[in-house]
Amino acid sequence: QVQLQESGPGLVKPSQTLSLTCTVSGSSISSGRYYWSWIRQPAGKGLEWIGRIHISGNTNYNPSLRSRVTISVDTSKNQFSLRLNSVTAADTAVYYCARVPFTIFGVARGFDPWGQGSQVTVSS
Amino acid sequence: DIVMTQTPLSLSVTPGQPASISCKSSQSLLHSDGKTYLYWYLHRPGQPPQLLIYEVSNRFSGVPDRFSGSGSGTDFTLKISRVEAEDVGVYYCMQSIQLPITFGQGTRLEIK
């Protein structure tokens, strides 16, 4: 059974960097068969795709966040990580990591599974 | 970005009655490979979203057959034939044909 689990600080000060890690079990990040993604949900709002990484090192980010986001992977720990710089209160959200397969044309398919989510609050 | 528009934003349904959610995309989700990249998720309170339907009409593993998806191009529908109490939550449509991946605003389903 594939499981993903987010971890990281629940409170980040404004202007600082939000850092989260997603630990994957039951599936090898190195297999190359999936994108590994981050998605967030601000309180009372909908879902926002943040970005994704493939083991090849290829990354794609939402243009709305691209200047502040970095997603990386650590194959030795079977983890991937999110860094979001210069955070503000607008970055307060539940952050999810998720696995997504892709077609031979590189198109992502459905996100499954998802981690349980990690609440991150930006406040001084 | 492809804009996904869901209607209604909320609905209240009596158990055993049907429910229907519409999702319209600002661009066609039909790829040259013949697949249409439209997905449906259910986000139950306190849980992560779960995949219900992939590529318009395919039920994901373990999803009850009371859930069905249909549509093409830019217009899509999720139907629940007989709503049960466990169906409460927020339903999202999502497109992945073009980056950034985008979601609809969500439709909140409650039980009467």
Side-chain angles (χ1 to χ4, degrees), chain A residues 48-118:
Chain A
E48 180 181 32
W49 178 74
I50 298 171
R52 70 188 185 189
I53 190 166
H54 183 264
I55 186 58
S56 64
N58 185 40
T59 54
N60 301 102
Y61 301 125
N62 193 318
S64 66
L65 298 169
R66 181 177 290 141
S67 64
R68 300 193 291 131
V69 174
T70 303
I71 297 176
S72 59
V73 66
D74 185 340
T75 56
S76 67
K77 296 180 180 178
N78 217 37
Q79 296 175 333
F80 62 106
S81 299
L82 168 70
R83 287 175 57 87
L84 182 64
N85 302 326
S86 305
V87 297
T88 69
D91 295 310
T92 294
V94 176
Y95 286 76
Y96 296 98
C97 57
R99 183 185 75 167
V100 55
F102 54 90
T103 71
I104 60 172
F105 298 98
V107 181
R109 306 182 78 181
F111 293 108
D112 179 80
W114 297 58
Q116 285 298 309
S118 179

Side-chain angles (χ1 to χ4, degrees), chain B residues 44-80:
Chain B
R44 294 191 175 102
Q47 296 185 23
Q50 65 176 95
L51 180 61
L52 293 177
I53 302 287
Y54 64 96
E55 285 134 40
V56 180
S57 59
N58 300 284
R59 275 188 302 277
F60 192 62
S61 175
V63 175
D65 60 8
R66 65 178 181 275
F67 290 93
S68 63
S70 62
S72 63
T74 60
D75 288 357
F76 306 95
T77 303
L78 175 70
K79 292 184 179 179
I80 309 172

Side-chain angles (χ1 to χ4, degrees), chain B:
Chain B
D1 298 5
I2 295 178
V3 177
M4 307 295 287
T5 303
Q6 291 181 228
T7 54
L9 296 184
S10 66
L11 67 166
S12 183
V13 183
T14 301
Q17 293 301 301
S20 179
I21 301 169
S22 170
C23 175
K24 296 184 188 297
S25 58
S26 60
Q27 299 176 36
S28 175
L29 303 185
L30 174 63
H31 193 273
S32 57
D33 66 2
K35 290 184 170 62
T36 300
Y37 290 93
L38 184 282
Y39 301 82
W40 290 97
Y41 296 86
L42 166 58
H43 195 182
R44 294 191 175 102
Q47 296 185 23
Q50 65 176 95
L51 180 61
L52 293 177
I53 302 287
Y54 64 96
E55 285 134 40
V56 180
S57 59
N58 300 284
R59 275 188 302 277
F60 192 62
S61 175
V63 175
D65 60 8
R66 65 178 181 275
F67 290 93
S68 63
S70 62
S72 63
T74 60
D75 288 357
F76 306 95
T77 303
L78 175 70
K79 292 184 179 179
I80 309 172
S81 59
R82 297 174 303 280
V83 169
E84 297 187 5
E86 67 179 19
D87 300 336
V88 165
V90 181
Y91 290 80
Y92 293 94
C93 59
M94 183 200 86
Q95 67 79 24
S96 64
I97 194 173
Q98 181 185 106
L99 295 181
I101 292 169
T102 51
F103 295 86
Q105 321 96 298
T107 296
R108 184 174 301 277
L109 174 68
E110 65 172 32
I111 300 296
K112 281 184 182 175

